[in-house]
Amino acid sequence: MKKICKVAAVLMALLLAVGVLAGCQSETAGEGALDRIKANGKITMLTNAQFAPFEYIKDNEPAGVDVDIAQAIADEIGVELEITDMDFDAIIDFLNAGKGDFAAAGLTVNEERKAVVDFSIEYVTSTQYVIVPKDTDTASYDLNGKVIGVQAGTTGDLYYASVEDYFKAGDVKRYKSAVDAVAEMKAGRVDCVIIDELPAKKLVEENPEYIAYDPGYPPESYAIAVQKGNTELLDVINKVLQKFVDEGKIDELVVKHS
Ligand code: GLN
């Protein structure tokens, strides 16, 4: 059985400040982390369920590749899976505040994040895609000067739209999800949206007036994050993930949720 716990964005800062989150609370990491999870009878996954096929809402419940992996982790430990569905850009702070046991959110491994969390083995390779109106000539599309919609705090935001390494955006509009960014593009407030490959493909499937193309940026890899030093839990996560990878289950799950 999995339980969902939704956190309102406005409450997040307050909750972090007072250190209380009824129903979603877990102890901090370190030695004995697994014993504490077992004693609680549940393990809490932090995610943002607007990132299909990795996490999305189906019949009012979180579903997706990461949710299936998280369920297998919970099963391996023998506890219930609880899911906190929250803003993507607050996930790592929540994890480090002890408000969840692990983050599984199509989370790209990078140096900045590695400095503050520990990552599992990498289980998916991705890259950033650009979503544009379907009549666009993608071969000649110039991102310079464009109003770019992104999901706040993602690699599409921090490594591409908000820096000038690849192009100089006219403006960057940050949203809580790429779903919101596409809605804003439909409303004419954004020229294009940058988001990870499979979520981009899923979004254009649902919005056929748009197409998604690969601008050729470097590959990224997803991993699950735990608090620094939580090797007990990381070992279990890696064991489950390695099995999924070895048995080709990740690809099966991507197909299942696509
Ligand atoms: N892979 C991207 C990142 O880690 C986006 C993840 C997401 O939006 N869930 O920043």
Side-chain angles (χ1 to χ4, degrees):
M1 264 294 282
K2 87 192 155 221
K3 244 171 86 187
I4 175 167
C5 179
K6 211 162 169 36
V7 179
V10 284
L11 284 177
M12 280 180 192
L14 180 67
L15 291 169
L16 280 172
V18 297
V20 173
L21 181 54
C24 299
Q25 197 163 19
S26 64
E27 303 291 331
T28 45
E31 229 168 279
L34 269 185
D35 284 343
R36 278 197 296 274
I37 289 166
K38 284 180 189 161
N40 284 338
K42 65 170 188 188
I43 188 163
T44 304
M45 163 191 185
L46 302 177
T47 200
N48 171 255
Q50 292 210 68
F51 197 68
F54 297 98
E55 35 270 329
Y56 57 98
I57 299 293
K58 188 182 172 199
D59 304 328
N60 290 321
E61 288 254 355
V65 176
D66 287 335
V67 175
D68 288 349
I69 293 169
Q71 186 62 60
I73 293 165
D75 292 347
E76 177 72 26
I77 301 171
V79 290
E80 189 182 337
L81 174 65
E82 180 177 76
I83 300 174
T84 298
D85 181 14
M86 57 183 297
D87 288 352
F88 179 78
D89 60 357
I91 288 176
I92 286 182
D93 284 346
F94 248 49
L95 180 67
N96 281 335
K99 303 301 175 197
D101 297 298
F102 63 93
L107 194 58
T108 298
V109 177
N110 62 36
E111 292 308 315
E112 288 78 4
R113 292 174 181 163
K114 266 160 101 173
V116 291
V117 294
D118 282 347
F119 278 108
S120 68
I121 59 162
E122 297 169 359
Y123 63 96
V124 165
T125 304
S126 182
T127 190
Q128 296 299 307
Y129 265 50
V130 183
I131 304 176
V132 288
K134 76 165 190 278
D135 54 2
T136 305
D137 175 11
T138 57
S140 66
Y141 192 71
D142 185 5
L143 285 154
N144 285 293
K146 295 289 191 302
V147 178
I148 307 204
V150 292
Q151 181 178 20
T154 58
T155 44
D157 174 9
L158 305 174
Y159 282 64
Y160 299 96
S162 300
V163 291
E164 291 175 19
D165 295 355
Y166 295 89
F167 55 85
K168 187 176 180 339
D171 195 9
V172 182
K173 299 209 168 177
R174 298 180 184 82
Y175 302 98
K176 289 195 184 303
S177 70
V179 178
D180 291 349
V182 168
E184 286 291 284
M185 182 160 59
K186 277 188 176 172
R189 286 187 279 268
V190 160
D191 294 321
C192 62
V193 172
I194 301 185
I195 192 71
D196 302 44
E197 176 180 1
L198 293 182
K201 287 180 173 166
K202 190 89 181 148
L203 278 163
V204 298
E205 211 179 279
E206 287 156 10
N207 298 278
E209 63 273 49
Y210 297 102
I211 50 172
Y213 75 93
D214 178 1
Y217 301 147
E220 301 180 15
S221 296
Y222 298 167
I224 292 176
V226 298
Q227 273 192 6
K228 272 212 161 295
N230 194 352
T231 45
E232 272 190 20
L233 178 55
L234 201 55
D235 287 348
V236 176
I237 291 174
N238 279 337
K239 182 177 160 199
V240 170
L241 274 176
Q242 194 64 59
K243 193 160 181 283
F244 271 68
V245 170
D246 291 347
E247 293 174 357
K249 285 232 173 72
I250 303 284
D251 295 337
E252 278 173 30
L253 289 178
V254 167
V255 172
K256 172 183 161 192
H257 292 287
S258 292

